[in-house]
Amino acid sequence: MPSTEQNYQAVQQRLQQACRNHQRDPTSVRLLAVSKTKPAAQVEAVYRLGQRAFGENYVQDGLEKITALAHLSDIEWHFIGPLQSNKSRLVAGHFHWVETVDRDKIARRLSEQRPDTMPDLNILVQVNISREAQKAGVLPEQALDFARTVAALPRLQLRGLMCIAEAEADQAVLAAQFAQMRTLFEQLQQEFPLVDTLSMGMSADLELAIACGSTEIRIGTDIFGARDYPDAPH
């Protein structure tokens, strides 16, 4: 079995090769290590390899790790799961980024509940680019208007867009969806100079996402291994 270190280095090499293949500066694409359900010790081991940004899907699981790893002052926590209203205060008070904002109510609660003593909370608007009924996210035609709503709220900093690719789509369909995401992202950048993040692509579609302009790739299992348990606490 490859070690976590071997897995991490392999992912980094793959990411860097994809950037070279598509004439992208490797420093222009951030790796988000999706650490959901993994223990704090394993997260710290990846941190020691140079990784700084970690993604958590479950509020309670994430908070336990944030507390356990509070001594790592430059670690960056991204909430990347569905966010219920009754958990918004916990996320607003502990995470640096929320990547799955797609409802006005959640955006407003995060704004109201972000402590004044903390920097503005970085926000990505989740876009349902594949228009799948079971998937979260605003529809593409709603994305810019909703992003403007987020940008106007205090204690939030709009940073860009995020999508989850269609699982069974072929390369041509995925490429078209990623291209539409990039168009929306570039339109948003014209209005908001601080917008700099287009989060799309995971292990299965890393290369295509980078070719289409992604600035953040989300990788979990290929770094940390399979989930430790099926039902993590929310």
Side-chain angles (χ1 to χ4, degrees):
M1 290 287 291
S3 68
T4 301
E5 180 176 0
Q6 290 171 322
N7 287 343
Y8 180 73
Q9 299 298 353
V11 167
Q12 284 283 18
Q13 290 169 11
R14 185 180 168 199
L15 190 154
Q16 291 169 18
Q17 185 62 52
C19 288
R20 286 193 292 270
N21 291 346
H22 299 289
Q23 292 75 54
R24 297 282 306 277
D25 179 352
T27 64
S28 71
V29 182
R30 172 172 55 207
L31 173 61
L32 182 65
V34 178
S35 46
K36 61 182 180 183
T37 79
K38 294 300 174 180
Q42 195 174 8
V43 174
E44 184 164 7
V46 175
Y47 172 94
R48 299 298 176 192
L49 299 174
Q51 180 65 26
R52 291 296 178 267
F54 293 87
E56 291 288 326
N57 284 58
Y58 308 110
V59 176
Q60 197 57 45
D61 185 39
L63 290 180
E64 290 171 4
K65 276 173 265 191
I66 290 171
T67 300
L69 300 176
H71 58 286
L72 306 177
S73 61
D74 60 343
I75 198 168
E76 190 175 270
W77 295 103
H78 296 232
F79 188 76
I80 61 171
L83 181 55
Q84 301 166 346
S85 295
N86 64 344
K87 299 292 178 66
S88 62
R89 185 178 298 277
L90 292 171
V91 170
H94 294 86
F95 284 81
H96 303 99
W97 291 69
V98 182
E99 301 201 0
T100 47
V101 176
D102 64 353
R103 287 181 290 153
D104 184 77
K105 179 181 179 180
I106 291 295
R108 293 185 185 281
R109 287 178 71 89
L110 291 172
S111 171
E112 293 164 0
Q113 295 168 346
R114 182 67 167 178
D116 292 334
T117 55
M118 298 181 73
D120 289 351
L121 181 62
N122 297 297
I123 301 293
L124 299 186
V125 169
Q126 183 173 354
V127 181
N128 184 357
I129 198 65
S130 55
R131 300 176 181 272
E132 296 171 85
Q134 78 280 9
K135 190 171 284 183
V138 298
L139 293 175
E141 60 269 22
Q142 300 167 338
L144 296 181
D145 279 344
F146 181 66
R148 293 180 188 112
T149 296
V150 171
L153 293 171
R155 291 186 291 279
L156 301 185
Q157 178 60 62
L158 176 68
R159 295 293 294 272
L161 304 174
M162 173 269 214
C163 75
I164 299 173
E166 190 172 348
E168 304 301 324
D170 63 28
Q171 289 288 101
V173 171
L174 278 182
Q177 293 174 0
F178 284 163
Q180 188 178 11
M181 283 294 298
R182 181 173 182 172
T183 297
L184 290 171
F185 175 63
E186 290 173 345
Q187 290 172 340
L188 201 59
Q189 284 184 306
Q190 291 175 8
E191 287 190 50
F192 302 101
L194 292 181
V195 164
D196 60 0
T197 302
L198 177 58
S199 180
M200 60 184 191
M202 296 183 282
S203 59
D205 49 28
L206 180 160
E207 286 82 6
L208 181 60
I210 287 175
C212 293
S214 175
T215 72
E216 179 183 270
I217 302 293
R218 308 181 304 272
I219 304 289
T221 302
D222 282 7
I223 296 174
F224 293 100
R227 292 193 190 189
D228 291 334
Y229 48 93
D231 297 313
H234 289 256

